[in-house]
Amino acid sequence: MLAEEVRQKLISIVGEKNLLDSEENLVVYSYDATPNYQAMPDAVIKPRNTKEIQEIVKICNEYKVPIVPRGSGTNLCAGTCPLEGGIVLLFTYMNQILEIDEDNLTVTVQPGIITLELIQAVEAKGLFYPPDPSSMKISTIGGNINENSGGLRGLKYGVTRDYVMALEVVLPNGEVIRTGGKLAKDVAGYDFTRLMVGSEGTLGIITEAMLKLIPIPETKKTMLALFDSLEGAGQAVSAIIANKIIPATLEFLDQGTLEVVEDFAKIGLPTNVGAVLLIEQDGPMEVVDRDIEKIVKICEESEAISVQVAQSPEEGLALTTARRSALSALARKKPTTILEDATVPRSKVAEMVREINKIAKEHNVEICTFGHAGDGNLHPTCMTDARNEEEMHRVEQAFADIFAKAIELGGTITGEHGVGVMKSPYLAWKLGEEGVNAMKTLKFAFDPNNIMNPGKIFAKETKKRVVVQK
Ligand SMILES: Cc1cc2nc3c(=O)[nH]c(=O)nc-3n(C[C@H](O)[C@H](O)[C@H](O)COP(=O)(O)OP(=O)(O)OC[C@H]3O[C@@H](n4cnc5c(N)ncnc54)[C@H](O)[C@@H]3O)c2cc1C
């Protein structure tokens, strides 16, 4: 519980109705989309502007009250689970588009805007904001920036980081800074904009963001290629890139995922093949036609069982929507769904998927894999039941082996979902203890009282790394 003095000071900033601390409200904000993590906050607060956030932060810093900024809570690393209590800070009132600048191709938004609303608003003006996490119907831009979210269009267009031009940030001492600007070139001092991207709410609170826009592609086409095996699909991916074609989307689903997605989406996806590639190209009509024609040929040469090009934009949309629903579809199978995002160099995708299947077998757990074949970002997803402690132990062991294998293949423990609590015990596997210490030094220089999202990114203990046997 908050000390009454602190509670009253916070109410004097936001008003009684914007500080929630009934048991029901606290329970609602005690967890996020990550299974198996829950901790009660002391209060939930809904500021209306930067000035209010600044005052809240000053009080929290003085009384050492943890602050957990929260967008829509869709993160998959327990990043908004209030592990050490304190206040959960919502952006419910700060969800506006402040400006679309068609001369400089930028959009300026408040952090609480929903990603898809932003995408649609700029598309109405013939402009394009490419980062498209599958959660875009509910995720916020503040969350996307703090997780450096990726999406289906990441291969060709990059991730959230590549579109953040400027930020307004309330620092843990309550000072407000503005980073970057409407500038293609700006090397005035450290790049604080980049530092804030992916910082998971641990360095400050983003209260405004200016994002880069590009002209909307003239057209796009979508196709599916079916393969007997993942190796065949992997070979096709390498061949497409080696032919100097960068598709807008290059996704794969394994047989297990396909079956579940088809059962959910019912759009006639084949369920009896080893793997499927979902490929999309966009751009000028003649380039799209030329690239799709070449990709069809490459897939056929890579022994695709069949290749189908969507005959209409609606058919194409149904295919990409089905891919976006993969996690929700898998979640219907068992009470608990744990989705990870181990990432490897593109050339290692088929090998990594094979290893994931082997590891799942060894630990006797059910794992399906789908993901971004073009950029090596895999989503091994385990369907399990958190109430079964013995099984959960096996699941944890399996994921530890998967992370170890990904690193061995030159990859990483997370490509887009962030570290949060869930992957903090593995961070040193990727960075080394020295790397983690350097990050901690930075964190404590910004936030000496450790009020910003404490308990995230840095684990109390690193897990022991076991080398996976071939
Ligand atoms: C079905 C599903 C599909 C998904 N698909 C993808 C995908 O394709 N790609 C992908 O990258 N991720 C994906 N995710 C993960 C998740 O949606 C993203 O990480 C998303 O960016 C989180 O947005 P959010 O608004 O829910 O943020 P939250 O979960 O509320 O917060 C995420 C982090 O940002 C911090 N934060 C939020 N707002 C601020 C702020 N204004 N200032 C400071 N810190 C802040 C929080 O403290 C937390 O650490 C998926 C999740 C689900 C459930």
Side-chain angles (χ1 to χ4, degrees):
M1 241 170 58
L2 287 179
E4 192 51 29
E5 188 186 346
V6 176
R7 187 173 177 274
Q8 287 309 325
K9 285 192 175 184
L10 292 174
I11 287 176
S12 74
I13 300 167
V14 294
E16 195 117 27
K17 79 172 172 72
N18 292 319
L19 185 130
L20 317 172
D21 55 4
S22 70
E23 177 122 22
E24 305 82 78
N25 281 316
L26 299 185
V27 169
V28 170
Y29 294 99
S30 63
Y31 62 95
D32 53 34
T34 324
N36 236 9
Y37 288 89
Q38 189 168 23
M40 293 289 265
D42 295 308
V44 178
I45 199 159
K46 298 202 277 183
R48 288 161 290 199
N49 51 49
T50 303
K51 183 95 192 58
E52 287 187 358
I53 294 185
Q54 194 178 12
E55 288 174 30
I56 293 167
V57 171
K58 280 185 182 159
I59 288 174
C60 289
N61 198 32
E62 185 186 341
Y63 290 89
K64 301 191 175 49
V65 176
I67 303 176
V68 181
R70 178 176 168 123
S72 295
T74 66
N75 73 87
L76 296 164
C77 59
T80 44
C81 177
L83 273 195
E84 302 189 12
I87 59 169
V88 170
L89 189 144
L90 305 179
F91 301 93
T92 324
Y93 295 120
M94 297 175 68
N95 62 356
Q96 299 300 306
I97 293 181
L98 302 175
E99 180 195 49
I100 299 178
D101 180 342
E102 293 180 68
D103 293 331
N104 288 301
L105 296 188
T106 60
V107 58
T108 304
V109 297
Q110 292 183 307
I113 182 141
I114 300 295
T115 316
L116 186 61
E117 283 173 21
L118 161 71
I119 290 175
Q120 288 171 340
V122 301
E123 279 187 3
K125 294 192 178 286
L127 295 167
F128 190 35
Y129 176 71
D132 60 341
S134 296
S135 52
M136 66 186 181
K137 278 189 194 162
I138 36 170
S139 70
T140 65
I141 287 295
N144 291 176
I145 294 173
N146 276 279
E147 298 292 5
N148 189 15
S149 293
L152 269 58
R153 301 193 279 239
L155 172 64
K156 182 168 178 177
Y157 292 104
V159 295
T160 303
R161 176 208 293 130
D162 303 304
Y163 294 86
V164 184
M165 296 183 74
L167 295 171
E168 179 187 77
V169 183
V170 178
L171 295 176
N173 63 5
E175 284 173 5
V176 179
I177 57 166
R178 282 187 167 270
T179 73
K182 288 181 185 176
L183 304 160
K185 293 181 174 177
D186 178 11
V187 290
Y190 295 135
D191 191 344
F192 271 3
T193 312
R194 280 263 170 142
L195 177 63
M196 293 307 298
V197 176
S199 63
E200 302 190 23
T202 62
L203 296 180
I205 302 177
I206 292 174
T207 47
E208 204 178 288
M210 185 193 293
L211 306 167
K212 182 170 96 174
L213 301 174
I214 57 177
I216 200 161
E218 185 185 304
T219 189
K220 68 177 166 198
K221 270 194 176 171
T222 310
M223 56 174 278
L224 268 190
L226 320 183
F227 295 86
D228 259 340
S229 68
L230 264 161
E231 280 70 21
Q235 210 179 312
V237 169
S238 301
I240 292 167
I241 308 285
N243 273 274
K244 301 184 180 54
I245 303 170
I246 305 290
T249 294
L250 186 41
E251 299 282 309
F252 85 95
L253 293 91
D254 71 1
Q255 198 267 335
T257 313
L258 263 176
E259 228 172 81
V260 181
V261 166
E262 173 54 19
D263 186 47
F264 178 70
K266 300 212 175 0
I267 56 165
L269 290 172
T271 54
N272 56 350
V273 294
V276 152
L277 287 181
L278 169 72
I279 305 164
E280 201 161 64
Q281 184 56 305
D282 63 8
M285 185 91 76
E286 61 281 11
V287 175
V288 172
D289 284 343
R290 184 199 65 198
D291 283 356
I292 289 286
E293 209 174 293
K294 272 196 195 170
I295 296 172
V296 168
K297 199 158 163 265
I298 292 167
C299 289
E300 284 167 356
E301 284 165 5
S302 305
E303 293 177 8
I305 307 169
S306 92
V307 182
Q308 306 157 13
V309 179
Q311 292 308 306
S312 65
E314 293 71 31
E315 202 184 313
L317 185 65
L319 294 174
T320 46
T321 306
R323 156 60 187 91
R324 285 184 205 286
S325 70
L327 173 56
S328 324
L330 288 166
R332 295 157 78 227
K333 277 197 92 176
K334 289 264 182 85
T336 310
T337 315
I338 302 177
L339 176 138
E340 278 301 349
D341 75 327
T343 300
V344 290
R346 186 191 296 140
S347 57
K348 305 278 186 191
V349 166
E351 183 177 351
M352 187 65 209
V353 177
R354 238 188 350 259
E355 289 294 336
I356 291 171
N357 291 340
K358 197 170 129 203
I359 291 167
K361 220 175 192 175
E362 274 163 16
H363 294 282
N364 189 23
V365 293
E366 193 181 355
I367 297 183
C368 290
T369 304
F370 61 96
H372 316 287
D375 54 31
N377 183 200
L378 305 178
H379 292 311
T381 304
C382 183
M383 284 72 67
T384 179
D385 185 344
R387 293 165 299 187
N388 182 339
E389 267 184 44
E390 186 275 326
E391 181 169 317
M392 288 305 284
H393 181 69
R394 282 187 279 119
V395 170
E396 200 184 314
Q397 292 295 316
F399 277 121
D401 285 356
I402 289 172
F403 297 145
K405 191 72 210 176
I407 290 172
E408 201 185 305
L409 294 177
T412 183
I413 56 172
T414 169
E416 60 182 13
H417 291 166
V419 179
V421 191
M422 210 169 169
K423 265 161 293 184
S424 59
Y426 307 100
L427 187 62
W429 294 11
K430 171 74 174 97
L431 302 177
E433 292 295 347
E434 308 78 5
V436 175
N437 285 340
M439 285 194 186
K440 272 191 191 159
T441 307
L442 193 74
K443 155 78 177 167
F444 287 102
F446 269 77
D447 183 14
N449 291 325
N450 195 22
I451 58 163
M452 287 308 309
N453 212 359
K456 312 298 158 60
I457 301 184
F458 307 110
K460 293 207 170 73
E461 249 181 79
T462 295
K463 287 244 191 230
K464 202 162 164 280
R465 183 168 161 193
V466 180
V467 177
V468 185
Q469 298 301 318
K470 277 237 173 202

